[in-house]
Amino acid sequence: QVQLQESGPGLVKPSETLSLTCAVSGYSISSGYYWGWIRQPPGKGLEWIGSIYHSGSSYYTPSLKSRVTISVDTSKNQFSLQLSSVTAADTAVYYCARVYPGITVAGARFDYWGQGTLVTVSS
Amino acid sequence: DIQMTQSPSSLSASVGDRVTITCQASQDISNYLNWYQQKPGKAPNLLIYDASNLETGVPSRFSGSGSGTDFTFTISSLQPEDIATYYCQQYDNLPTFGGGTKVEIK
């Protein structure tokens, strides 16, 4: 069974960099698929942040592209999110997910999700 | 970006009712449309992929249809455990989600 688990600080100061890691078990990242990050501000809807292929090709939502980096570490079977220059608007539950490939870029559907981790941006 | 407009934003229905949610894309996305269920405090769960395909293990009372710009998600007989927020998501280009529809029991 594929399982994903997010980890990282729950509190980040404004202007600093948010860093999260997603550990994958039950499936080898290097075997394929995209791996993605999605966030959800409190009481609001879902926002796709970006996805990375196991080979390292990455895609980001345009509104965050200048601040986001997603990387993959196949040796540890995990992938990571870095979001720089955070503000209160970046406060959200952050989910990692496996992304089933499709014929379009960045993958098709999110078929396995982590439980999510709340990151609060506050001084 | 491709914008996804979901309606209604919320609805209240009785157990056993047929529930329908619509999702409209800002441009033609073929059948590149998925539906998710999210219960409070939980991660979303994939229900329907490629507009009309039921994900393994998902009850058959859930269904989806549509292509191009207009899509429909249906619960044929609402059950108490279906109380959740439902989201559509397109992947014709970079993925985007609809705003969600909160389903409550009347």
Side-chain angles (χ1 to χ4, degrees), chain B residues 15-90:
Chain B
V15 172
D17 281 355
R18 183 180 185 87
V19 169
T20 299
I21 299 168
T22 64
C23 190
Q24 185 171 59
S26 58
Q27 64 187 65
D28 188 336
I29 59 168
S30 185
N31 68 329
Y32 303 150
L33 191 285
N34 307 314
W35 292 95
Y36 300 83
Q37 175 192 66
Q38 185 180 32
K39 296 184 177 181
K42 301 293 187 181
N45 181 47
L46 177 67
L47 300 181
I48 303 285
Y49 65 92
D50 296 348
S52 61
N53 294 296
L54 199 65
E55 179 73 342
T56 302
V58 174
S60 59
R61 65 180 180 273
F62 297 101
S63 65
S65 64
S67 67
T69 60
D70 295 304
F71 301 86
T72 300
F73 172 81
T74 300
I75 307 173
S76 61
S77 177
L78 186 66
Q79 299 302 304
E81 60 267 31
D82 300 336
I83 299 313
T85 301
Y86 294 84
Y87 293 91
C88 62
Q89 173 246 321
Q90 68 77 26

Side-chain angles (χ1 to χ4, degrees), chain A residues 3-8 20-24 36-38 79 93-97 112-118, chain B residues 43:
Chain A
Q3 294 185 317
L4 299 93
Q5 179 67 58
E6 306 90 349
S7 62
L20 296 173
T21 296
C22 181
V24 179
W37 289 95
I38 302 100
F79 60 106
V93 174
Y94 286 77
Y95 296 100
C96 60
Y112 288 93
W113 295 67
Q115 65 185 23
T117 187
L118 174 63

Side-chain angles (χ1 to χ4, degrees), chain A residues 3-38:
Chain A
Q3 294 185 317
L4 299 93
Q5 179 67 58
E6 306 90 349
S7 62
L11 181 64
V12 180
K13 290 181 168 56
S15 80
E16 295 190 344
T17 296
L18 178 160
S19 295
L20 296 173
T21 296
C22 181
V24 179
S25 59
Y27 188 84
S28 173
I29 283 182
S30 59
S31 294
Y33 283 82
Y34 286 88
W35 303 88
W37 289 95
I38 302 100

Side-chain angles (χ1 to χ4, degrees), chain A residues 56-67:
Chain A
S57 300
S58 57
Y59 303 88
Y60 305 120
T61 191
S63 63
L64 297 175
K65 188 174 183 178
S66 63
R67 299 195 289 130

